[in-house]
Amino acid sequence: LEKWPELEQAARSVLDTKPEHADAHARLGRALQGQGLHDAAVTAWEAAVRLGPDMPRFRRGLSAARRARTLSEKRRNAPGPGRRRRGG
């Protein structure tokens, strides 16, 4: 079992003193994504990519976070049992 809240706190602690620490933004993005906080995860990964543009794993992390956010939105907007899509 991952300890996402603890990982989030550790990353935020680093960022409190080193806001330009690209790897801490990446760790924050991973922790937020693990908690299902997809919008915040994308924002953290975007910061990691901005600060470490030559790091392929940051770009992969951002892509994964964006995919997870899209899937989450699709699930949230999908009709449930007995519900019909609007406009259909």
Side-chain angles (χ1 to χ4, degrees):
L1 180 65
E2 296 288 343
K3 297 182 178 182
W4 299 122
E6 290 87 352
L7 294 172
E8 176 188 354
Q9 184 56 47
R12 289 188 188 281
S13 292
V14 171
L15 292 171
D16 284 345
T17 57
K18 299 176 184 176
E20 301 299 310
H21 195 289
D23 197 55
H25 283 283
R27 283 186 239 142
L28 178 60
R30 183 161 164 70
L32 293 168
Q33 189 172 338
Q35 296 176 78
L37 302 171
H38 302 295
D39 288 334
V42 167
T43 300
W45 280 110
E46 287 173 340
V49 169
R50 180 177 47 80
L51 294 166
D54 297 329
M55 298 294 291
R57 68 185 179 92
F58 294 167
R59 292 188 184 283
R60 287 191 305 268
L62 177 56
S63 292
R66 286 178 173 161
R67 281 192 308 273
R69 179 176 63 184
T70 298
L71 288 173
S72 177
E73 289 170 353
K74 284 181 180 179
R75 276 189 228 115
R76 188 172 49 244
N77 294 328
R83 290 178 23 200
R84 299 170 82 189
R85 285 191 188 267
R86 279 194 237 171

